[in-house]
Amino acid sequence: MHQRRYHPATLQRRKGKYYVCVTKPKELQFGADRQARRSTGTSDKRQAEYMLHELTQDIYKEFDRLLERSDPVYERLRPVLEQEGINTREWYSGGKVSVRVTGGRTLAAKLGMGCQDIKVTEVWSAENHLELCTLVSQLGHPIPADIVHLLPEEEREQFLNLTKPSDIPSGELVDFVTGAHERGLADLAKTSLEKLQSLSRVQIAQDDVPEPSGTTLQSIIEAYIESRPERSRRQDRGQLAKWMQHPEMGKKPLGEVDIYDVYDFLNELGEDLSVSSLRVFRAAMSNVYNWCNKQRDLGIKYNPWRGIDMTGMGQDAVDRLPFTSEQLHHLFKLDMPDDCRKAFAILVTTGLRGGELVQLAKRQKVEVKDGIKFLDLREITTKNKGSKRLVPLHDLANELPKSFTQQKLRSLVRRVTNDPRVVVHSLRHTAKDLFRDAGISKEVSDFITGHAQGDVSGKYGVGPSLQVRYEAINRVAHPWLR
């Protein structure tokens, strides 16, 4: 079972038949080739849906196989190569890349050997990491300093030697200079050799290449809003507030947000918002990243909101799947840190949101009243007023985790199932289902999970009492926790 998480699959009708389509991981996207497809061989949608899971797994296995041979050095330089119009697929299919260079970018021009009546075209190619770095540098792009840490140990010293002035020109350049000498251009050849000896073949980027950005949305919001048309500023600010007010994502640097954070956030937001509202929010966040991409000093080069598949998201769409009993047993049998186990236990017994638990774990404050342990969510940042509530803890899960990350929880869930509809947030849906199956009324369930008006008055007498909520939560047996 693979450890990576991929885009969810969709069914698309093409030429009269249904195909299972999955957006490729970024490392496997080349130009317009961004999707993997498998034909179901049928025009019957119901039959195609029956085949969806099996064909999706085949695609995921192919992604695994291709990513195992993915070259981290090449992937680090690939955006530059694509910018130059190079067919980057050739690196994996043919073992090399090449580019035709003309005019002032040729080595001949740089060495001062070009003249008006001679048009020079050079073909540069690379078949290994060192040649690749040389090629990129000769095209005028500095090599990121972190490349040295990605190179195999035996290549590092050779790479560092490339950053020093050349003592001896390469074979091709010797031939070029010799040819110039034979054509009666002796003085020009001599000058070119002197220039060549002072050139370094690879320029390493230092301060001019931004490090991973620590910029948060809060830190750039005013500058961004100022750049927007005046008629849309109020709406933009309202949409972006959803991100900034989130207890976990709101503090995360924009440069560290990945596509899995985006999916998790949209899944959580989709519990209360319609599909159309989610799309408006996604567009607002994508516009922020498009703006950031143009600000060189921010160093944010990737837009994780682009190309998001929102199938099944939103209050009026298909819900995410809850965990099955078998999946819960599997999950709690995994070898995992004790804090992760405590986090999963509280999520499945209370229906808390992941962001709520993160805040509560940092506070490490479990309240006690009349012998009942409970969490006071009126003291943390919640999605809305209805989420400010008192949540009793189950007798089998009454300790807060001290240190965990939602990313770690996501990776553990992927060890249980590859179904993209089953995520950490699915534990909230699982809790709701377990409450219903245990005969707990919707009113009590909604107060526990934060779907009611909440305990905003600050008094214990609002809604079902703490005792009623405690008894309701403990009515669910949770055999996977015993």
Side-chain angles (χ1 to χ4, degrees):
M1 186 179 297
H2 67 74
Q3 303 298 312
R4 303 181 181 93
R5 180 178 174 188
Y6 300 122
H7 291 272
T10 59
L11 277 177
Q12 295 181 12
R13 190 178 177 90
R14 299 168 61 89
K15 298 181 180 179
K17 294 190 177 180
Y18 283 99
Y19 285 75
V20 175
C21 302
V22 181
T23 300
K24 293 181 177 181
K26 186 174 182 292
E27 299 91 334
L28 302 180
Q29 294 180 11
F30 295 91
D33 182 11
R34 298 180 180 274
Q35 278 199 328
R37 300 185 183 90
R38 294 288 187 279
S39 174
T40 64
T42 180
S43 58
D44 185 327
K45 187 172 183 180
R46 180 174 296 181
Q47 183 66 22
E49 289 174 341
Y50 179 78
M51 302 172 66
L52 176 64
H53 179 73
E54 180 180 353
L55 292 177
T56 300
Q57 297 310 305
D58 288 344
I59 293 174
Y60 287 168
K61 288 177 183 178
E62 178 67 7
F63 287 169
D64 281 342
R65 187 184 68 80
L66 294 173
L67 286 174
E68 283 176 0
R69 71 173 190 177
S70 181
D71 182 342
V73 175
Y74 178 71
E75 291 300 330
R76 187 72 174 85
L77 298 173
R78 194 174 114 189
V80 173
L81 299 174
E82 290 179 340
Q83 180 182 331
E84 292 289 344
I86 295 174
N87 182 359
T88 51
R89 184 193 292 272
E90 290 183 347
W91 184 259
Y92 292 121
S93 62
K96 70 174 185 178
V97 291
S98 59
V99 60
R100 297 176 68 86
V101 184
T102 59
R105 300 183 76 183
T106 62
L107 289 176
K110 292 178 182 178
L111 294 172
M113 300 191 67
C115 53
Q116 293 182 351
D117 57 344
I118 300 178
K119 293 183 178 180
V120 178
T121 298
E122 298 174 356
V123 178
W124 300 349
S125 62
E127 298 184 6
N128 56 52
H129 292 150
L130 302 179
E131 292 178 356
L132 190 64
C133 290
T134 301
L135 172 65
V136 170
S137 191
Q138 287 175 345
L139 287 170
H141 304 277
I143 304 299
D146 61 359
I147 282 286
V148 69
H149 301 297
L150 299 177
L151 289 167
E153 186 174 352
E154 61 273 15
E155 293 184 4
R156 290 176 190 170
E157 184 176 353
Q158 294 174 281
F159 172 78
L160 292 174
N161 285 335
L162 290 178
T163 67
K164 302 173 184 177
S166 303
D167 293 327
I168 302 174
S170 67
E172 292 183 6
L173 290 175
V174 170
D175 293 342
F176 186 88
V177 174
T178 302
H181 181 80
E182 292 174 351
R183 291 195 298 272
L185 303 176
D187 292 340
L188 186 57
K190 181 180 179 182
T191 302
S192 297
L193 278 173
E194 291 173 352
K195 289 183 178 180
L196 180 61
Q197 290 173 348
S198 67
L199 292 176
S200 61
R201 285 165 286 175
V202 172
Q203 298 289 333
I204 293 184
Q206 301 295 339
D207 296 337
D208 55 335
V209 175
E211 294 297 319
S213 173
T215 303
T216 64
L217 179 56
Q218 184 70 52
S219 67
I220 56 95
I221 182 68
E222 296 304 328
Y224 171 71
I225 292 296
E226 185 67 25
S227 72
R228 300 290 291 163
E230 190 169 351
R231 64 181 180 278
S232 69
R233 291 178 183 178
R234 183 175 180 180
Q235 181 181 5
D236 287 337
R237 192 182 293 276
Q239 291 296 329
L240 300 179
K242 296 182 177 69
W243 181 269
M244 292 187 294
Q245 291 171 3
H246 192 274
E248 183 179 8
M249 295 303 179
K251 299 176 183 177
K252 192 164 188 176
L254 295 176
E256 295 179 11
V257 175
D258 61 28
I259 193 170
Y260 307 126
D261 293 323
V262 171
Y263 275 118
D264 282 345
F265 189 85
L266 289 175
N267 281 326
E268 182 176 335
L269 206 62
E271 188 175 331
D272 299 316
L273 298 183
S274 65
V275 175
S276 58
S277 295
L278 281 183
R279 294 189 183 280
V280 171
F281 168 74
R282 186 206 64 81
M285 288 298 297
S286 184
N287 287 338
V288 169
Y289 274 82
N290 290 337
W291 179 82
C292 289
N293 293 162
K294 299 175 183 178
Q295 316 304 312
R296 183 180 293 271
D297 58 318
L298 296 182
I300 299 174
K301 303 178 181 179
Y302 170 58
N303 184 350
W305 299 87
R306 188 177 296 143
I308 293 297
D309 181 358
M310 299 182 68
T311 304
M313 295 183 186
Q315 196 175 44
D316 49 349
V318 179
D319 289 335
R320 290 298 180 185
L321 294 180
F323 283 79
T324 64
S325 176
E326 181 182 359
Q327 288 170 339
L328 287 172
H329 279 287
H330 187 180
L331 178 64
F332 283 97
K333 286 181 181 178
L334 292 177
D335 182 17
M336 69 177 83
D338 191 47
D339 279 336
C340 289
R341 192 178 305 279
K342 290 179 180 178
F344 279 132
I346 288 183
L347 291 174
V348 75
T349 55
T350 64
L352 284 179
R353 298 179 177 91
E356 293 171 341
L357 183 56
V358 168
Q359 293 183 81
L360 293 165
K362 290 179 179 178
R363 293 171 61 86
Q364 283 297 302
K365 190 176 181 181
V366 175
E367 307 283 357
V368 181
K369 179 178 176 61
D370 298 331
I372 299 174
K373 290 185 176 182
F374 68 95
L375 302 173
D376 191 344
L377 276 74
R378 299 172 303 177
E379 301 180 5
I380 66 171
T381 302
T382 56
K383 179 181 291 188
N384 48 48
K385 289 184 178 181
S387 297
K388 292 188 176 297
R389 62 200 189 278
L390 307 176
V391 180
L393 291 172
H394 196 287
D395 289 343
L396 295 176
N398 55 19
E399 292 184 26
L400 280 172
K402 294 181 180 178
S403 176
F404 77 98
T405 64
Q406 294 209 65
Q407 182 177 2
K408 178 62 177 176
L409 299 187
R410 288 197 295 266
S411 68
L412 289 167
V413 169
R414 286 302 131 227
R415 291 170 59 185
V416 172
T417 175
N418 294 324
D419 192 332
R421 294 171 296 176
V422 180
V423 294
V424 175
H425 193 67
S426 294
L427 289 170
R428 181 167 166 82
H429 298 286
T430 304
K432 291 283 287 187
D433 287 352
L434 291 172
F435 293 158
R436 183 191 64 242
D437 294 345
I440 299 169
S441 70
K442 185 177 186 301
E443 179 192 17
V444 174
S445 176
D446 285 349
F447 264 92
I448 293 173
T449 56
H451 285 130
Q453 68 267 34
D455 300 305
V456 292
S457 71
K459 298 179 180 179
Y460 293 104
V462 177
S465 69
L466 193 64
Q467 180 69 34
V468 169
R469 299 182 205 186
Y470 169 73
E471 292 174 356
I473 277 183
N474 277 276
R475 200 177 301 171
V476 182
H478 296 289
W480 34 83
L481 297 181
R482 295 182 184 276

